[in-house]
Amino acid sequence: MLYELTHLAMKLYTVPKALSALRDYTTGAPARGRLLGCWETEHGVIVGRVLLLREFTDAETLAEERQRILTSSDPFGAGEYLDSFTVETYAPFPFVPPVQTGRYGDVYEFRTYELKVGGLTPTMAGWAAALPERTELFPLTTAMYGLDGTPRITHIWPFPSLDQRLAIRRESNERGIWPPENGPENIAHATSTIAIPAGFSPLH
């Protein structure tokens, strides 16, 4: 199982039209992979930013889809609205279940940690130990590590609201549940993005 996380930068005021095109592209008959989620970013660099998460059963199917995107004059069926895009390949942490679509929250947080050299294995060990208790407070969408580019992990969390996000994170910290052992020690750079599910997003 592989995941593809795509960052799309849209031209100003074109996101509603782009979302319609993205829905058709990712759910139509020619689509390879399975759409898991589509979100508009709400904090950070927010103008015209959209995130797509897709699932692929094997590397060959993902490579075919990547080739289709990169050689297209109309990538994602939304070329007229696009300023730029990046596409990243991830593998899930081996102890994290496959993504289950459904309604989990009105806001999602995408956290990406670029890792220090050699930091992936101890990071995953700490996560494996701490995650069961952490997810008792609220479920995890997925945690995954990059297979291309900078060594990194990305984890996605749903929350009912921004207020509850803060309350859950505070409780996990006060109880000593989170962050996991070997987590912060292996982070070289961290970013967090708050995003809102699109109406057609299977993850909501």
Side-chain angles (χ1 to χ4, degrees), residues 89-113:
T89 305
Y90 286 88
F93 284 11
F95 48 85
V96 171
V99 172
Q100 300 295 316
T101 56
R103 188 174 187 94
Y104 299 99
D106 292 329
V107 297
Y108 280 69
E109 183 177 18
F110 290 70
R111 298 180 74 88
T112 296
Y113 300 157

Side-chain angles (χ1 to χ4, degrees), residues 48-92:
R49 300 282 170 164
V50 175
L51 301 172
L52 279 178
L53 181 66
R54 295 193 289 174
E55 175 188 271
F56 293 83
T57 55
D58 56 69
E60 182 179 357
T61 305
L62 188 148
E64 290 174 355
E65 176 65 4
R66 186 69 50 83
Q67 182 76 6
R68 184 166 77 114
I69 293 167
L70 294 176
T71 59
S72 175
S73 60
D74 184 27
F76 301 98
E80 63 182 301
Y81 311 120
L82 271 173
D83 269 337
S84 63
F85 67 90
T86 60
V87 188
E88 302 170 343
T89 305
Y90 286 88

Side-chain angles (χ1 to χ4, degrees), residues 33 67 77 122 148 174 179 198 203:
Q67 182 76 6
D148 47 20
E174 290 175 349
L203 280 167

Side-chain angles (χ1 to χ4, degrees), residues 177-194:
I177 297 171
W178 207 257
E181 185 178 359
N182 297 321
E185 299 90 335
N186 286 290
I187 297 173
H189 180 70
T191 60
S192 171
T193 300
I194 298 296

Side-chain angles (χ1 to χ4, degrees), residues 127-188:
W127 274 68
L131 196 58
E133 192 172 4
R134 169 61 181 83
T135 52
E136 288 178 3
L137 296 179
F138 212 76
L140 168 75
T141 298
T142 194
M144 51 194 185
Y145 61 96
L147 295 176
D148 47 20
T150 304
R152 68 198 182 282
I153 66 170
T154 292
H155 39 120
I156 305 171
W157 301 85
F159 295 98
S161 67
L162 287 175
D163 286 344
Q164 290 205 356
R165 168 190 172 271
L166 182 60
I168 291 167
R169 287 178 58 80
R170 181 179 292 136
E171 181 180 353
S172 67
N173 185 265
E174 290 175 349
R175 289 171 52 185
I177 297 171
W178 207 257
E181 185 178 359
N182 297 321
E185 299 90 335
N186 286 290
I187 297 173

